[in-house]
Amino acid sequence: MPYVLEGKICKPNEITSIEEGDVIVVRPFTTLIDGVNQVAPPLSIISKTCKHEIRTPLWVDGVKVGNNVRVVEGDLEVWGELEIKSYEFLPGYTARELLGRSSFKVSSKELGIPIVTVDGKQLISTLNREILVTDKRELLLALAHSLNYFLSSKE
C-alpha cells in the first residue's frame, strides 16, 4: 500500500508505458486530480510520465512495478473476452470492460496456474513467484503487475 505525496496519474485507457517504480492501482480511490475530485479506477497508473496531477498526499491500494513479470510469446490467437479466475481480482474486471471482445495472443500450453484466460487458454498465469503474460499490450502488462498485490506478502 504505497504512500503518494504528490504525483501524476494516468487512467487505464491512457497507459502508454510502464516503468519500474510506477504504482499500479488495484482498488478505486478518490482524490483531487487536476483540481477536481475524481475516482481513479483499478489499473490507473501513478507515474512521472502521466499528465494528470495529484496534489494531495494519500495511501493507495496499489503495487509498485517490479521485475517479476515476464512476457512469454503466445503461440495462438483467440477471439473473446477476458475470463477472470478470482472474483477478488478487481483490476481484471476493469481490463475486461476496457478491452471487451478482442483478439488476444495466448498460450496453447499450460504455463503454471491460470489467473486470466480467454476461451479457456492462458493469458496471465503465475509460476514459481513469476507472473507470465502472453500478450504485450500495456494494459495487460499493467494487469499482470497488479497481480503482485494479491500474491506477495510484502504488498
Side-chain angles (χ1 to χ4, degrees):
M1 198 166 163
Y3 182 71
V4 177
L5 191 54
E6 60 182 32
K8 296 182 176 187
I9 189 167
C10 297
K11 299 282 176 90
N13 59 343
E14 301 171 334
I15 299 172
T16 56
S17 68
I18 300 170
E19 299 174 12
E20 195 165 334
D22 290 350
V23 174
I24 299 176
V25 175
V26 296
R27 298 199 196 291
F29 69 91
T30 303
T31 190
L32 205 57
I33 301 173
D34 293 332
V36 178
N37 269 333
Q38 294 183 34
V39 174
L43 289 183
S44 296
I45 292 185
I46 300 171
S47 171
K48 61 183 177 237
T49 62
C50 294
K51 62 181 180 178
H52 304 291
E53 294 280 337
I54 298 174
R55 298 192 187 270
T56 55
L58 66 147
W59 288 101
V60 176
D61 273 326
V63 61
K64 285 191 177 186
V65 172
N67 57 4
N68 70 326
V69 171
R70 181 168 51 106
V71 177
V72 178
E73 286 297 321
D75 59 349
L76 190 62
E77 192 163 323
V78 295
W79 180 263
E81 190 174 69
L82 298 182
E83 299 159 356
I84 315 305
K85 297 297 182 183
S86 172
Y87 67 90
E88 292 180 9
F89 188 40
L90 290 180
Y93 296 102
T94 301
R96 182 170 70 187
E97 188 66 30
L98 287 171
L99 295 170
R101 292 186 58 77
S102 302
S103 176
F104 298 93
K105 290 286 237 179
V106 296
S107 176
S108 60
K109 301 176 198 167
E110 291 288 319
L111 303 171
I113 301 168
I115 305 295
V116 178
T117 62
V118 178
D119 196 26
K121 306 287 187 211
Q122 290 182 350
L123 179 65
I124 299 175
S125 59
T126 181
L127 178 66
N128 299 330
R129 298 184 184 186
E130 190 172 44
I131 298 167
L132 309 174
V133 60
T134 58
D135 194 310
K136 296 180 186 179
R137 283 181 252 191
E138 294 296 325
L139 184 65
L140 294 173
L141 290 172
L143 182 59
H145 281 288
S146 72
L147 251 177
N148 282 310
Y149 181 86
F150 300 94
L151 298 177
S152 173
S153 61
K154 68 179 179 183
E155 299 301 335

